[in-house]
Amino acid sequence: MPDPILRISGVDVRYGRTLALSDIDIDLFEGEAVGLLGTNGAGKTTLLNALSGFLRPAAGELRLFGASINRCPPHVIVRRGLLHLSQERDLFGDLTVHDNLRLGSLARAAKSFDRNLERVCHYFPRLKERLRQRASTMSGGEQQMLAIGRALMAEPRVLLFDEPSAGLSPLFVQEIGAMMQALRKEGEITIILVEQNMLLAAQVIDRYYMLRAGRIVARGPASELEKDHEELAREYYL
């Protein structure tokens, strides 16, 4: 087996005295897509925040490309190739689509702007039509596409998606799902997908981890998510 590009070993995360994550072990290998599933409050976003440097583990080790990132600030982790797409999207609303995409390229791939812009517009033709439009005037689905596009402009090696389908219409969910499937098939970007929509997750990921109350309670191949969504929801979400 090749070495994992991201290793999470025995990780605990605390908010004050509250244990939010306990003894998390996950290995992520190059080019695969892994899902983190579970209800609100299960610890999924907490784990993403620890990986991207916004929280520090109370115990355990986080290693990216073989090097510890336990004490690295977020901007260093971004420059090493791990990007986090939060639920807030964090766009610059007064700037145009084009300018938001250019900002995305500055940390890692400024010289490849034109090539990466063409790639993003291939994934999301809507953005090509709106390059001069201010981000704040776009719909929620279009803003989500822009947030994903901006992340891709940095040529990430590992991309963390935090509930990309939340609040979106079925049409936008379908388009974003198709884009993530294309990324997985290309194999250049390793994906962690936090998602409550198990049907969407099953279409994108290779395997999953189910979290409950900060612990991993189940794991398996994506094919298991295609069996009976209602039964899985009752078992793990209720």
Side-chain angles (χ1 to χ4, degrees):
M1 288 287 290
D3 292 333
I5 64 171
L6 179 62
R7 169 158 281 174
I8 304 167
S9 303
V11 165
D12 294 353
V13 175
R14 292 181 177 273
Y15 292 112
R17 295 184 178 181
T18 302
L19 187 62
L21 289 175
S22 177
D23 198 25
I24 303 297
D25 288 304
I26 297 174
D27 282 346
L28 197 67
F29 296 90
E30 187 171 9
E32 72 172 344
V34 169
L36 297 180
L37 310 180
T39 60
N40 290 333
K44 308 182 301 297
T45 296
T46 296
L47 180 55
L48 297 194
N49 284 333
L51 290 171
S52 51
F54 294 107
L55 294 172
R56 287 188 176 177
E61 186 79 26
L62 301 172
R63 302 189 73 84
L64 179 65
F65 307 117
S68 175
I69 56 171
N70 276 40
R71 296 188 173 275
C72 289
H75 70 276
V76 171
I77 293 174
V78 167
R79 287 174 181 158
R80 292 188 183 182
L82 184 149
L83 272 75
H84 180 180
L85 274 157
S86 74
Q87 295 181 42
E88 287 75 22
R89 300 173 188 145
D90 301 319
L91 298 173
F92 293 90
D94 290 336
L95 298 184
T96 65
V97 169
H98 185 274
D99 288 342
N100 270 277
L101 294 173
R102 183 170 292 281
L103 286 172
S105 71
L106 294 181
R108 282 175 47 85
K111 294 180 180 180
S112 306
F113 176 80
D114 290 337
R115 182 188 67 200
N116 289 327
L117 178 62
E118 183 177 352
R119 182 190 187 196
V120 167
C121 290
H122 171 73
Y123 285 133
F124 299 124
R126 292 168 187 260
L127 296 184
K128 186 175 183 179
E129 299 168 0
R130 293 163 171 77
L131 287 176
R132 301 303 170 188
Q133 184 174 336
R134 285 194 304 164
S136 61
T137 66
M138 302 172 75
S139 71
E142 291 165 348
Q143 289 184 6
Q144 184 68 289
M145 290 179 177
L146 177 55
I148 295 170
R150 187 180 62 180
L152 293 175
M153 294 296 294
E155 297 182 357
R157 297 281 305 280
V158 181
L159 197 48
L160 314 181
F161 289 90
D162 194 355
E163 304 251 10
S165 72
L168 301 187
S169 70
L171 178 60
F172 281 115
V173 171
Q174 182 179 0
E175 290 189 46
I176 289 171
M179 180 279 307
M180 289 190 290
Q181 285 179 300
L183 288 179
R184 188 189 69 175
K185 289 177 181 177
E186 290 171 4
E188 297 178 3
I189 298 176
T190 302
I191 293 172
I192 295 182
L193 172 63
V194 165
E195 186 56 69
Q196 291 197 49
N197 184 333
M198 283 191 284
L199 181 59
L200 173 64
Q203 295 170 351
V204 173
I205 62 175
D206 300 298
R207 54 193 176 90
Y208 74 91
Y209 293 83
M210 189 74 68
L211 273 67
R212 178 188 286 165
R215 295 179 178 271
I216 295 173
V217 295
R219 66 189 72 195
S223 58
E224 291 183 1
L225 303 179
E226 299 172 350
K227 296 176 182 177
D228 186 336
H229 295 93
E230 291 187 4
E231 181 181 343
L232 286 168
R234 284 194 299 270
E235 184 175 357
Y236 294 116
Y237 285 17
L238 299 178

